[in-house]
C-alpha cells in the first residue's frame, strides 16, 4: 500500500480564490510557481511470512 | 536422533513463543456498528435534526460506522490506513469531495529520536479534540454528546508529538487544513493549528487540554475561530468512571449589530458509568450546548432566531455478549430553550429518542 500524506503550497504563491486560476480574480499571468512536498509510506506483511518460513526451515533442517 | 529433534522442537517453540509475545507490526482491524433509533418526533424524511451526525437515521436498521483499517508500527515508522462507510460518514463528511468521504484515517509517521517517543506524523487523523470518538465501542455512551457533534471528529495536517518515557505526559502540536477539513474551503489559505496536552498521573486519572485556532471560511470572509476543549476521566471504587468535558469557543462575529467582536459558544457533558461486572454497564449522562449565534449547531429550518441552546440527558445500558461484541440501548431527551425540534408541521422544545446498537470489533493481533 502506498499513500501520499500531505501536500503543501507556500502561502501567497497561489491565488485567493483557492487556486482555481492564475492571478486570482484580478488578472491572468503567464507564469506559475509551485512547491510540493510529500511523505510516502509502503508496508506489507512479506517479512512476517518469511520469518515463519525460517522457523519451519530450521525445524526441517535439524 | 531423538535428542536433536527435541532440541529443535524446544528452539522452535521458544522462537515462536517470543515472536507471539512481540506486538505485531502489521495489524488488520475491523469495526462495525449497527443501530436502530426511534425519534418520537417521527421526522418525515427519517433523518434526525441536522446537528446530529452519529446514529442520525430514524426508524430503520442501519450502519453508523463500518470501518476497516490497517495499522503498521515497526521500529521508527508507523502508519494507518482506514476506510469507512455508514450513516456517520454520509452525515459528517458532506463537505469533503468524492472518495475523501470514505477515509477514516490515512497517515504516516517517523520517530525523530532513537529512544524517545518523539514523532512527526502527516495525513488524515481522528481529531485531537474531545473525549468521544467515532468508534462507538470506545465511548461510554451509545450516542454522541452535543459537544462531540459540535467539534471535529477528524483532521488533516502534520502533527509533532512527544510522549514522556513514563507515559504520564503526551504533548502534541498540529498544523491543520482547518476545522474538520481534509480539503480546504475554496479561497481559504489561512493556516490552522492546534495543540494537545494529556496528563495521566496514575491509571485512574486523566486530564486533557486541546485547542484549535483557524478560519473556516474563504479569506475574503475571514472569521478567526478560537477553541478550547477540556476533559477529565476519573475511575473510582473499581466500578465507577466519571467523565467531565467542557468546550469553549469563539469566532469573529458576522453580526454588524453585535456589541461584541466575537460570537461565543460553550457546552459540557457529564457522564457517570457504573460497571457492576465485566459484562454489563449503566451510563448516565447530562449535557448542555449553548450556541446563541449558531456558529456550530443549527436548529431545524423555520425555528425562531439564529441560536441553538439545549439541555439533554440520557440513560444507557451496555451488555457485552462476547469480549468484542457489545449490545447497548439508550434513552435520551433534549429540551431546548426555543422550539427548534420539528414534529409534524410545528416546532417544539423537546425531543425523545430511543436507540439500540450492536457493535463488533475484530483484529488479528492475537492469532498469529
Amino acid at each position: 500500500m502506498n499513500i501520499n500524506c500531505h501536500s503543501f503550497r507556500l502561502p501567497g504563491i497561489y491565488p485567493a480564490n483557492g487556486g482555481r486560476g492564475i492571478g486570482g480574480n484580478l488578472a491572468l499571468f503567464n507564469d506559475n510557481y509551485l512547491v510540493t512536498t510529500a511523505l510516502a509510506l509502503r508496508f506489507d506483511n512479506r517479512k512476517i511470512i518469511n520469518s515463519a518460513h525460517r522457523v519451519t526451515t530450521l525445524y526441517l533442517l535439524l | 536422533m531423538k535428542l536433536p529433534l527435541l532440541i529443535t522442537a524446544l528452539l522452535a517453540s521458544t522462537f515462536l513463543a517470543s515472536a507471539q509475545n512481540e506486538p505485531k507490526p502489521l495489524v488488520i482491524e475491523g469495526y462495525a456498528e449497527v443501530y436502530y433509533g426511534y425519534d418520537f418526533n417521527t421526522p418525515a424524511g427519517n433523518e434526525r435534526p441536522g446537528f446530529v451526525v452519529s446514529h442520525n437515521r430514524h426508524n430503520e436498521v442501519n450502519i453508523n460506522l463500518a470501518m476497516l483499517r490497517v495499522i503498521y508500527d515497526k521500529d521508527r515508522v508507523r502508519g494507518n490506513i482506514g476506510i469507512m462507510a455508514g450513516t456517520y460518514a454520509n452525515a459528517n463528511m458532506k463537505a469533503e469531495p468524492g472518495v475523501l468521504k470514505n477515509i477514516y484515517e490515512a497517515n504516516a509517521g517517523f520517530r525523530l529520536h532513537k529512544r524517545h517517543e518523539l514523532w512527526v506524523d502527516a495525513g488524515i487523523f481522528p481529531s485531537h479534540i474531545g473525549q468521544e470518538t467515532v468508534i462507538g465501542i470506545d465511548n461510554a455512551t451509545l450516542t454522541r454528546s452535543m459537544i462531540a457533534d459540535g467539534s471535529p471528529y477528524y483532521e488533516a495536517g502534520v502533527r509533532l508529538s512527544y510522549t514522556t518515557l513514563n507515559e504520564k505526559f503526551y504533548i502534541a502540536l498540529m498544523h491543520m487544513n482547518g476545522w474538520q477539513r481534509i480539503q480546504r474551503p475554496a479561497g481559504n489559505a489561512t493556516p490552522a493549528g492546534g495543540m494537545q496536552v494529556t496528563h495521566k498521573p496514575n491509571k485512574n486519572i486523566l486530564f486533557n487540554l486541546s485547542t484549535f485556532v483557524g478560519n473556516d471560511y474563504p479569506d475574503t470572509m475571514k472569521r478567526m475561530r478560537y477553541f478550547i476543549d477540556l476533559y477529565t476521566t476519573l475511575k473510582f471504587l473499581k466500578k465507577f468512571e466519571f467523565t467531565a468535558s467542557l468546550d469553549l469557543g469563539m469566532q469573529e462575529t458576522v453580526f454588524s449589530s453585535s456589541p461584541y467582536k466575537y460570537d461565543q459558544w460553550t457546552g459540557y457533558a457529564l457522564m457517570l458509568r457504573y460497571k457492576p461486572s465485566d459484562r454489563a454497564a449503566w451510563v448516565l449522562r447530562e449535557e448542555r450546548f449553548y450556541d446563541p449565534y449558531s456558529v456550530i449547531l443549527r436548529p431545524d429550518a423555520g425555528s425562531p432566531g439564529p441560536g441553538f441552546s439545549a439541555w439533554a440527558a440520557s440513560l444507557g445500558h451496555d451488555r457485552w455478549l462476547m469480549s468484542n461484541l457489545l449490545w447497548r440501548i439508550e434513552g435520551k431527551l433534549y429540551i431546548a430553550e426555543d422550539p427548534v425540534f420539528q414534529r409534524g408541521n410545528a416546532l417544539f422544545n423537546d425531543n425523545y429518542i430511543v436507540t439500540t446498537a450492536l457493535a463488533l470489533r475484530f483484529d488479528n493481533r492475537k492469532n498469529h
Side-chain angles (χ1 to χ4, degrees):
Chain A
M1 293 186 196
N2 198 341
I3 54 170
N4 283 322
C5 278
H6 203 72
S7 177
F8 303 94
R9 287 182 292 179
L10 290 181
I13 286 180
Y14 62 107
N17 68 355
R20 290 185 176 175
I22 301 167
N25 299 323
L26 300 174
L28 292 165
F29 293 88
N30 299 65
D31 53 346
N32 187 20
Y33 307 91
L34 189 71
V35 176
T36 308
T37 182
L39 182 66
L41 166 67
R42 178 156 60 190
F43 51 88
D44 60 55
N45 64 345
R46 284 190 190 96
K47 286 185 179 173
I48 298 164
I49 292 168
N50 286 345
S51 66
H53 280 170
R54 272 202 298 276
V55 175
T56 317
T57 313
L58 174 76
Y59 184 84
L60 289 174
L61 279 174
L62 287 175
Chain B
M1 190 66 188
K2 280 182 183 173
L3 190 62
L5 265 177
L6 186 65
I7 293 168
T8 311
L10 279 170
L11 275 173
S13 61
T14 311
F15 186 86
L16 281 172
S18 66
Q20 279 172 357
N21 289 334
E22 285 174 11
K24 276 183 133 181
L26 190 63
V27 172
I28 297 166
E29 184 182 278
Y31 179 73
E33 186 176 338
V34 185
Y35 72 101
Y36 171 83
Y38 192 86
D39 183 335
F40 287 86
N41 280 352
T42 60
N46 290 331
E47 192 152 306
R48 303 277 323 286
F51 69 86
V52 179
V53 296
S54 291
H55 313 93
N56 71 329
R57 297 292 298 171
H58 157 70
N59 197 20
E60 66 189 30
V61 177
N62 215 322
I63 296 277
N64 186 57
L65 177 71
M67 187 268 288
L68 189 66
R69 67 174 161 179
V70 184
I71 304 161
Y72 179 78
D73 189 351
K74 193 168 192 296
D75 302 328
R76 296 176 69 175
V77 179
R78 68 185 179 188
N80 299 276
I81 299 174
I83 53 170
M84 67 174 172
T87 57
Y88 156 77
N90 281 349
N92 199 43
M93 310 291 283
K94 275 179 184 166
E96 305 297 345
V99 292
L100 290 181
K101 287 182 173 69
N102 297 104
I103 296 179
Y104 171 76
E105 66 178 332
N107 53 67
F110 176 67
R111 196 171 74 202
L112 298 172
H113 195 276
K114 275 184 183 177
R115 292 183 305 280
H116 291 277
E117 292 293 316
L118 178 64
W119 289 84
V120 61
D121 299 88
I124 301 161
F125 307 94
S127 168
H128 74 285
I129 293 169
Q131 183 258 341
E132 295 178 55
T133 81
V134 178
I135 299 175
I137 204 168
D138 290 334
N139 296 313
T141 54
L142 192 169
T143 61
R144 301 287 67 77
S145 307
M146 287 182 282
I147 56 169
D149 281 346
S151 60
Y153 279 112
Y154 65 90
E155 61 198 24
V158 182
R159 179 178 66 197
L160 178 69
S161 65
Y162 176 68
T163 307
T164 55
L165 288 175
N166 61 11
E167 297 185 348
K168 288 189 174 182
F169 279 97
Y170 167 83
I171 301 157
L173 293 170
M174 292 90 176
H175 169 88
M176 296 147 68
N177 291 349
W179 176 270
Q180 193 166 247
R181 297 277 186 187
I182 299 174
Q183 184 165 302
R184 285 177 183 277
N188 178 301
T190 314
M195 58 158 285
Q196 182 177 14
V197 179
T198 306
H199 178 41
K200 285 190 280 188
N202 60 55
K203 64 178 182 179
N204 294 322
I205 304 174
L206 185 147
F207 299 105
N208 185 86
L209 164 69
S210 300
T211 63
F212 172 87
V213 178
N215 162 43
D216 200 42
Y217 300 89
D219 289 352
T220 49
M221 304 160 58
K222 190 172 178 178
R223 288 177 238 168
M224 286 305 290
R225 180 178 295 179
Y226 304 93
F227 182 80
I228 293 175
D229 162 72
L230 290 158
Y231 69 81
T232 182
T233 302
L234 310 170
K235 292 176 184 170
F236 57 97
L237 300 174
K238 292 184 180 176
K239 293 178 179 176
F240 288 90
E241 184 180 286
F242 175 72
T243 304
S245 305
L246 174 68
D247 282 5
L248 301 163
M250 52 197 281
Q251 178 174 281
E252 284 179 290
T253 188
V254 287
F255 300 104
S256 55
S257 59
S258 172
Y260 305 107
K261 195 180 173 188
Y262 291 92
D263 298 330
Q264 298 178 22
W265 76 96
T266 183
Y268 69 80
L270 305 172
M271 297 177 205
L272 180 65
R273 181 158 77 153
Y274 170 59
K275 204 173 173 190
S277 71
D278 289 340
R279 292 268 170 157
W282 292 90
V283 189
L284 193 62
R285 168 176 52 188
E286 191 246 326
E287 55 171 319
R288 181 163 157 72
F289 201 89
Y290 177 67
D291 186 5
Y293 304 98
S294 278
V295 177
I296 300 294
L297 298 189
R298 286 171 185 81
D300 285 349
S303 61
F308 178 91
S309 175
W311 174 89
S314 68
L315 175 66
H317 178 60
D318 294 353
R319 189 159 283 274
W320 278 264
L321 306 175
M322 302 292 286
S323 62
N324 62 347
L325 183 66
L326 174 63
W327 171 74
R328 40 193 8 189
I329 185 164
E330 181 189 282
K332 186 170 186 179
L333 70 98
Y334 293 88
I335 297 173
E337 277 185 16
D338 297 316
V340 295
F341 298 110
Q342 192 167 358
R343 190 184 307 155
N345 293 322
L347 290 160
F348 292 84
N349 296 60
D350 54 344
N351 188 203
Y352 304 89
I353 308 105
V354 174
T355 313
T356 184
L358 191 65
L360 167 70
R361 177 156 55 189
F362 54 89
D363 60 53
N364 67 337
R365 281 190 180 90
K366 285 182 182 172
N367 56 345
H368 6 162

